Amino acid sequence: MKIPYYPGCTLNTVAKGFDTSARHSAVLLGFELKDLDQWNCCGAAFPLTPDNVMGLTAPAKVLSNARKEGDTVTTLCSVCYNVLKRTNKVVRDDKEKRAVINGFIEEEYDGSLNVIHFLEVLRDKIGFDNVKKAVKRPLKGIKAGAYYGCMLLRPFEDMGIDNAEAPTIFEDLLKSLGCEPVEFPNKIECCGAHLAMGNEDVVTKLSGNVLSSAKNKGAEIIVTSCPLCQYNLEKSQQRLAEGAGNLQMPILYFTQLLGLALGQDEGSLGLDKNLFDVRPVLKGKGV
Amino acid sequence: MQIKLGKENLHSEFVKLIERISGEELANCYQCGNCTGGCPVSYAMDFGPREIIRLLQLGQEDVVKKANSMWLCVGCLQCYCRCPKGVSAAKILEALRQITLRKGEDHEAIKEVPFPFLKNAPQQAIVCGFRKFVS
Ligand code: SF4
Ligand code: SF4
Ligand code: SF4
Ligand code: SF4
């Protein structure tokens, strides 16, 4: 099985490990992530005001190109997923906007693509039971906090990947890998997002809340599906370490953990790029 | 704070513009405060999302424009998800930003964004930051 895949700009550069660990995991699970022949940046923010049709043209171009390669596209970054899925809905349901967008991008796209997150591929196309069967190195006893953030879940009526207030898709995956998922209050709260540009204090506070919330519930690592969450949670720890706290909490992409459990070579997972190394935690548990 | 109320600010052009750009009807908000309760940055805002909407209902253009609230909103949509009336404070705050940006007034000077950030941050942070803060 080949699934058309939209990497997005961040996974092509600073979050390379997120990308490679997913590709290798896919192969170990018996399918292939096939890069779209043509793609561009999605714009990284779904325009919140409905009058901003211009902001929909870049993601619509991605969708239109993807449709030429099949009826489904998958992506890994929560933000790409959010922008593509919401834009797709607008093109599908709003004829007037569809006409304006198509006129601008010079395409005839109708919104018939199915945009799914890689987590949904694992849950719905492969099945967590089958993921579990493919595990070579169970991550026994690792207490992992599943951090959803915002963009994977909200707004619920557009995203629909899981319950917006009490999601479990991440925890279900973690269980299939042998981890012990840790429930923590801030798992769907924002990390501070783009305020990383120009307002680090707020990011440190928000990400700090996420980190301490997870830590207080016993998490030893945090797992995410968003490169910006990953960056904010790491950088905030660095800034906090200069002040009061010193957490040293590894922040991993869920695919890095998946890759580890499936027995991928550690060198191909991008673990060295993470600020806080997960390997001592694994070692401590005899994994 | 002293607020002058009058027909002219209750039905001001500015309020109409906000409603047109955001697609939200300000009168739908009944001031329960769920949005502010769920908003992760309300602690740092001059006025939380509920207050911003109230001030707009009362036509307080100048107060709202001067407040830092719109630039602190991260667009996390907790306000909207928890609003019993289906009002999106996120859209209203984005409309406020858009009104400034569409006039060509930047909130962040690109020249002043620190180089280490541009070099190390995920592209999405830079792209998103530019879209929210730069015209
Ligand atoms: S969300 Fe980001 S990383 Fe994803 S493509 Fe869009 S801008 Fe790039
Ligand atoms: S948690 Fe932060 S970076 Fe992640 S999706 Fe939300 S805003 Fe984005
Ligand atoms: S939650 Fe909705 S109704 Fe309540 S104050 Fe906020 S916007 Fe108004
Ligand atoms: S979208 Fe903005 S106003 Fe709404 S909860 Fe998030 S930060 Fe607060």
Side-chain angles (χ1 to χ4, degrees):
Chain A
M1 180 171 61
K2 277 190 190 179
I3 303 182
Y5 162 56
Y6 172 70
C9 55
T10 307
L11 272 77
N12 225 29
T13 48
V14 296
K16 203 79 199 134
F18 194 7
D19 173 272
T20 52
S21 56
R23 284 179 199 273
H24 286 126
S25 299
V27 172
L28 294 172
L29 290 168
F31 66 101
E32 187 192 329
L33 290 177
K34 194 218 157 273
D35 282 37
L36 296 180
D37 289 335
Q38 282 251 8
W39 59 268
N40 50 271
C41 169
C42 70
F46 181 79
L48 292 177
T49 54
D51 78 331
N52 184 357
V53 182
M54 263 321 269
L56 300 172
T57 51
K61 185 84 186 168
V62 172
L63 296 163
S64 163
N65 280 326
R67 185 68 183 91
K68 292 170 191 160
E69 297 188 39
D71 58 8
T72 302
V73 68
T74 189
T75 188
L76 286 154
C77 162
S78 302
V79 181
C80 301
Y81 173 63
N82 184 286
V83 175
L84 294 181
K85 193 156 182 184
R86 297 192 71 187
T87 303
N88 199 49
K89 190 177 171 197
V90 173
V91 175
R92 195 188 62 212
D93 298 344
D94 189 327
K95 282 207 182 106
E96 235 170 86
K97 282 186 186 153
R98 183 200 301 171
V100 176
I101 293 167
N102 276 332
F104 195 84
I105 62 174
E106 299 182 347
E107 299 279 358
E108 283 302 325
Y109 180 57
D110 59 359
S112 56
L113 196 66
N114 190 16
V115 180
I116 53 174
H117 194 269
F118 191 74
L119 281 168
E120 288 173 296
V121 174
L122 298 177
R123 180 188 63 191
D124 305 332
K125 289 193 184 280
I126 307 298
F128 288 148
D129 284 348
N130 290 321
V131 173
K132 189 173 178 181
K133 282 181 205 147
V135 166
K136 298 244 160 51
R137 182 179 172 187
L139 305 173
K140 277 231 163 59
I142 309 276
K143 295 201 169 71
Y147 178 51
Y148 292 82
C150 333
M151 295 297 143
L152 201 55
L153 301 169
R154 292 190 286 273
F156 172 71
E157 69 271 23
D158 285 7
M159 304 316 295
I161 183 171
D162 205 344
N163 184 309
E165 290 282 347
T168 62
I169 186 168
F170 246 137
E171 285 86 348
D172 295 341
L173 171 67
L174 291 173
K175 273 185 219 159
S176 72
L177 306 181
C179 292
E180 281 178 36
V182 171
E183 198 57 50
F184 66 104
N186 285 48
K187 74 176 187 179
I188 61 165
E189 297 298 331
C190 183
C191 67
H194 61 275
L195 293 184
M197 186 167 123
N199 215 327
E200 280 181 353
D201 291 351
V202 174
V203 173
T204 310
K205 167 101 170 143
L206 265 53
S207 288
N209 290 344
V210 171
L211 290 160
S212 56
S213 161
K215 178 90 182 173
N216 290 342
K217 292 290 174 184
E220 295 157 321
I221 62 171
I222 289 178
V223 183
T224 172
S225 61
C226 174
L228 184 49
C229 300
Q230 207 272 349
Y231 176 82
N232 281 340
L233 291 177
E234 281 193 341
K235 286 283 167 193
S236 297
Q237 285 189 73
Q238 257 182 344
R239 291 191 289 265
L240 287 165
E242 287 161 17
N246 198 352
L247 274 154
Q248 304 275 332
M249 174 89 77
I251 315 292
L252 280 90
Y253 296 114
F254 69 96
T255 50
Q256 291 179 311
L257 217 53
L258 174 65
L260 280 169
L262 294 175
Q264 252 183 66
D265 166 32
E266 284 183 7
S268 67
L269 294 168
L271 297 177
D272 291 332
K273 278 215 139 192
N274 297 353
L275 266 180
F276 305 100
D277 196 351
V278 69
R279 283 162 287 198
V281 181
L282 299 174
K283 225 177 172 183
K285 301 272 168 166
V287 169
Chain B
M1 182 174 61
Q2 229 180 14
I3 290 181
K4 213 176 137 215
L5 290 182
K7 239 204 249 143
E8 60 284 4
N9 40 35
L10 285 173
H11 304 285
S12 74
E13 287 304 312
F14 181 72
V15 171
K16 277 189 221 148
L17 185 63
I18 296 280
E19 290 198 324
R20 183 164 63 74
I21 297 182
S22 69
E24 293 290 317
E25 219 176 303
L26 293 163
N28 283 345
C29 165
Y30 58 19
Q31 291 289 297
C32 67
N34 263 352
C35 49
T36 299
C39 174
V41 268
S42 60
Y43 81 94
M45 288 177 173
D46 294 332
F47 300 99
R50 178 193 65 79
E51 289 170 303
I52 289 290
I53 293 174
R54 189 62 180 153
L55 287 163
L56 287 172
Q57 287 173 338
L58 299 175
Q60 298 305 306
E61 174 176 349
D62 293 342
V63 184
V64 168
K65 274 185 172 166
K66 270 190 221 131
N68 65 2
S69 311
M70 62 176 122
W71 305 114
L72 287 173
C73 168
V74 282
C76 70
L77 302 185
Q78 283 289 31
C79 49
Y80 166 65
C81 287
R82 291 174 181 177
C83 175
K85 297 279 289 168
V87 176
S88 176
K91 285 187 183 171
I92 292 165
L93 288 156
E94 173 116 328
L96 283 164
R97 284 190 295 274
Q98 290 291 325
I99 287 173
T100 306
L101 299 178
R102 286 176 192 178
K103 284 192 205 132
E105 295 165 21
D106 294 346
H107 177 64
E108 294 269 349
I110 296 179
K111 274 192 294 194
E112 280 157 30
V113 178
F115 182 69
F117 175 79
L118 292 175
K119 187 162 171 278
N120 300 320
Q123 276 67 17
Q124 65 190 115
I126 301 163
V127 177
C128 185
F130 274 38
R131 295 191 67 177
K132 299 279 182 184
F133 299 144
V134 183
S135 59

